[in-house]
Amino acid sequence: MASSFLSVSLLFIGLHAADGFMHYVVSRCDFNSTDLKDIEFIRSYSYNKLEIIRFSSSVGKYVGYTELGVKNAENWNKDPSELAAMRAQKETVCQHNIKIWYDAALTKSAEPKVFLSSATPPGGKHSSMLVCSVFDFYPKNIKVSWIRDGQPETAGVTSTDELADGDWYYQTHSHLEYTPSRSGEKISCMVEHISLSKPLVTDWDPSMPEPERNKIAIGASGLILGLTLSLAGFIYYKRKARGRILVPSN
Ligand SMILES: *[C@@H]1O[C@H](CO)[C@@H](O)[C@H](O)[C@H]1NC(C)=O
């Protein structure tokens, strides 16, 4: 979680608009763990989109950025009870809510689903391409790699970012462009994710994928059924015709 520094705006305190002037205050907690040392509380005051004053728990007092802000910061910093209240926010507001966030969502994970398919390479020096599609995993961090005959394969690999599905799940797609070797080789896609106790290795099966096989089976069954029925019809017709000829008509 170190790379994805999470930021959650917990409170939207005040909004006053009059004749196009706007003043607003945003309080937020930046964190990457539930530890107090990994949490920063920031309350920021803006006037007409310009930040004028800010309290940050890492500074421990108000800092002004405009004339008005500097003047206010000076006054507020003289008030020990105001500063004590602000310094307590990190623990009372941030840590309290961050613990709830971790319990409810941030410590949870969802196992990826992996699908391997072949695709047409976009041209270039390789004749084949495989796509390893990884769906429905959470959290975002994931590692997708390729193994060719037991060796890690990094040449010819391109991957998408982790794409947010918008429902907390992510997907990502890794492409391997390669030239098949004459002897049959084994190519696998390996996925490493916090939800998995060991890497998930999916082998490429060069035989036809299941849906294709099904389509062919259904088509073949239809063809055989049609041929059988037409043959039966033909025999029936022949018999009838023969019968008709054999019956004397005098
Ligand atoms: C959180 O971030 C700080 C500063 O970037 C870093 O020193 C610390 O190790 C991180 N903690 C975790 C749990 O990732």
Side-chain angles (χ1 to χ4, degrees), residues 2 5 32-33 38:
F5 202 75
N32 61 355
S33 87
D38 290 331

Side-chain angles (χ1 to χ4, degrees), residues 10 29-31 33-34 39 90 93-103 106:
L10 290 173
C29 303
D30 286 351
F31 63 97
S33 87
T34 52
I39 301 173
K90 176 163 124 162
V93 177
C94 293
Q95 198 179 33
H96 171 76
N97 283 289
I98 288 165
K99 276 185 178 145
I100 295 173
W101 271 89
Y102 271 101
D103 286 347
L106 298 175

Side-chain angles (χ1 to χ4, degrees), residues 31-223:
F31 63 97
N32 61 355
S33 87
T34 52
D35 259 12
L36 273 182
K37 68 168 172 48
D38 290 331
I39 301 173
E40 186 179 17
F41 167 78
I42 295 167
R43 177 169 295 179
S44 164
Y45 293 74
S46 299
Y47 183 69
N48 284 348
K49 297 186 188 172
L50 183 68
E51 187 179 30
I52 56 168
I53 188 165
R54 167 190 286 219
F55 177 92
S56 154
S57 63
S58 58
V59 178
K61 59 176 186 159
Y62 285 98
V63 176
Y65 301 111
T66 65
E67 198 185 332
L68 175 65
V70 168
K71 204 179 288 177
N72 273 295
E74 224 166 72
N75 280 333
W76 295 350
N77 285 336
K78 278 184 203 149
D79 182 349
S81 68
E82 166 70 20
L83 285 186
M86 280 300 111
R87 285 170 187 160
Q89 298 281 303
K90 176 163 124 162
E91 194 164 347
T92 56
V93 177
C94 293
Q95 198 179 33
H96 171 76
N97 283 289
I98 288 165
K99 276 185 178 145
I100 295 173
W101 271 89
Y102 271 101
D103 286 347
L106 298 175
T107 50
K108 307 232 179 286
S109 64
E111 282 185 28
K113 299 184 182 77
V114 181
F115 299 93
L116 269 178
S117 58
S118 67
T120 314
K125 53 185 195 289
H126 295 297
S127 61
S128 301
M129 182 164 84
L130 292 181
V131 185
C132 185
S133 298
V134 187
F135 294 104
D136 293 350
F137 57 89
Y138 179 89
K140 186 179 179 183
N141 277 350
I142 199 162
K143 189 176 165 206
V144 180
S145 51
W146 294 90
I147 301 170
R148 199 172 176 186
D149 278 333
Q151 298 299 316
E153 177 72 282
T154 50
V157 176
T158 49
S159 297
T160 66
D161 287 336
E162 297 89 350
L163 311 164
D165 290 347
D167 56 4
W168 287 74
Y169 292 124
Y170 289 89
Q171 58 175 283
T172 187
H173 305 264
S174 181
H175 299 75
L176 170 70
E177 285 177 67
Y178 70 109
T179 305
S181 72
R182 241 166 262 122
S183 59
E185 60 195 333
K186 192 169 140 191
I187 299 180
S188 315
C189 171
M190 181 164 80
V191 175
E192 290 161 272
H193 188 253
I194 195 160
S195 64
L196 302 164
S197 54
K198 59 180 169 50
L200 177 58
V201 177
T202 309
D203 297 333
W204 168 239
D205 176 7
S207 65
M208 227 172 271
E210 191 117 313
E212 292 300 311
R213 270 207 300 269
N214 284 346
K215 268 184 225 162
I216 289 175
I218 291 168
S221 311
L223 182 66

